[in-house]
């Protein structure tokens, strides 16, 4: 803990120390919640970026993980590795809803399959963790406005703090309280993101089921046209992708880490 500012350079909420023990105890609890939120959010974002990059959807307007997962299945079919669809694609009514078997896939598609499974597992594992975090964030936001008054009382008893330390304590407390007010929105945003992701995963399942009987034909069509990536296969044989004006490429335009 003890980060440099109430909102870091990466936009994350990060509590700043006041050197007032009773106040910092509260802020430390808030930071613990923030750390927990970002420990869920960051792996999902990283897994999503890697999946979209590996499946070559990074520059496709409106693309999301639904298109990537279905495109991977089409791509496997195009490479002639789909003799047994039920062995390759495991679909269930309950979470995780779908899992892809990479054991017989070509090496260039295996990376995509691993990325898809990693993303799906990251999202599903997050689902049940979020609701308690929403309650905690709301509780912290409701209590935070009391902190400036508490800090004022603490300053009156803080004989060991110099003038600059006291000024810094007030400033840091104020900044922290402002940041905490944003915390419920951050956690709710994560919840919405996870629910949307689950919807996209279920959308992939729906499209795969709808085209299951035609997958061999889809594979032959993609192969005959020399379509080498999940994105190319999906654009040829998948449902239309609704344009949003946004491309899902990796943040900062950099390729995600392996």
């Amino acid at each position: 803990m003890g980060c440099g500012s109430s909102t870091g350079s990466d936009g994350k909420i990060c509590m700043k120390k006041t050197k007032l023990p009773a106040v910092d105890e509260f802020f430390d609890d808030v930071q613990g919640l923030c750390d927990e939120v970002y420990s869920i959010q960051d792996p999902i974002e990283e897994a999503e970026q890697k999946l979209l990059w590996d499946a070559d959807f990074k520059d496709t307007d409106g693309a999301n993980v639904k298109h990537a997962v279905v495109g991977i299945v089409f791509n496997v079919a195009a490479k002639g590795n789909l003799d047994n669809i039920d062995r390759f694609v495991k679909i269930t009514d309950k979470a995780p809803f779908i899992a892809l078997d990479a054991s017989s896939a070509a090496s260039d598609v295996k990376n995509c399959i691993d990325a898809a499974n990693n993303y799906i597992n990251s999202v599903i594992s997050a689902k049940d963790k979020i609701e308690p975090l929403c309650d905690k964030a709301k509780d912290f936001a409701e209590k935070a406005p009391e902190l400036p008054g508490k800090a004022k009382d603490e300053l009156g008893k803080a004989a060991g703090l110099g003038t600059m330390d006291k000024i810094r304590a007030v400033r840091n407390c104020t900044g922290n309280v402002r940041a905490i007010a944003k915390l419920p929105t951050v956690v709710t945003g994560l919840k919405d993101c996870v629910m949307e992701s689950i919807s996209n995963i279920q959308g992939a399942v729906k499209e795969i089921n709808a085209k299951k009987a035609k997958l061999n034909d889809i594979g032959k069509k993609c192969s005959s046209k020399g379509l080498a990536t999940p994105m190319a296969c999906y654009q040829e044989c998948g449902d239309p992708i609704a344009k949003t004006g946004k491309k899902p490429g990796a943040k900062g335009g950099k390729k995600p880490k392996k």
Side-chain angles (χ1 to χ4, degrees), residues 103-222:
S103 61
S104 61
S107 59
D108 56 338
V109 188
K110 186 178 184 301
N111 288 338
C112 295
I113 294 171
D114 290 342
N117 287 332
N118 182 45
Y119 172 79
I120 292 167
N121 291 333
S122 295
V123 169
I124 297 304
S125 67
K127 180 177 178 293
D128 294 332
K129 299 176 183 177
I130 296 176
E131 201 62 48
L133 302 185
C134 291
D135 295 337
K136 285 184 180 180
K138 181 180 178 182
D139 183 56
F140 283 141
E142 289 174 349
K143 292 178 179 177
E146 303 171 4
L147 269 295
K150 190 171 185 178
K152 184 177 179 180
D153 293 340
E154 288 289 305
L155 284 170
K157 298 180 287 185
L161 291 183
T163 300
M164 290 306 298
D165 283 335
K166 290 182 178 181
I167 292 173
R168 192 175 295 112
V170 172
R171 184 176 66 235
N172 291 352
C173 181
T174 301
N176 287 349
V177 170
R178 287 175 180 167
I180 293 169
K182 303 174 185 176
L183 190 53
T185 301
V186 171
V187 181
T188 300
L190 174 58
K191 179 181 178 180
D192 292 344
C193 174
V194 168
M195 297 312 295
E196 180 181 357
S197 297
I198 291 174
S199 177
N200 288 335
I201 293 168
Q202 292 172 325
V205 170
K206 183 178 179 180
E207 185 170 356
I208 290 168
N209 277 334
K211 296 175 179 174
K212 191 173 182 179
K214 301 177 181 178
L215 284 176
N216 283 329
D217 291 337
I218 288 173
K220 290 176 182 177
K221 183 177 182 180
C222 292

Side-chain angles (χ1 to χ4, degrees), residues 13-89:
I13 295 174
C14 191
M15 295 292 98
K16 195 171 183 180
K17 290 291 188 181
T18 67
K19 295 185 179 180
L20 302 173
V23 176
D24 281 340
E25 183 178 359
F26 179 85
F27 291 145
D28 284 348
D29 289 341
V30 173
Q31 187 61 55
L33 174 61
C34 293
D35 292 344
E36 192 171 357
V37 169
Y38 296 130
S39 74
I40 296 171
Q41 177 178 294
D42 291 350
I44 291 175
E45 290 183 350
E46 291 167 6
E48 179 183 28
Q49 291 296 320
K50 188 174 190 312
L51 169 58
L52 293 170
W53 188 288
D54 286 356
D56 202 34
F57 281 90
K58 62 185 182 298
D59 295 321
T60 305
D61 187 347
N64 59 46
V65 295
K66 172 209 167 184
H67 311 117
V69 171
V70 178
I72 290 168
V73 174
F74 291 173
N75 194 219
V76 170
K79 294 178 183 297
N81 298 120
L82 207 56
D83 294 333
N84 189 334
I85 177 63
D86 291 321
R87 185 171 68 81
F88 172 63
V89 183

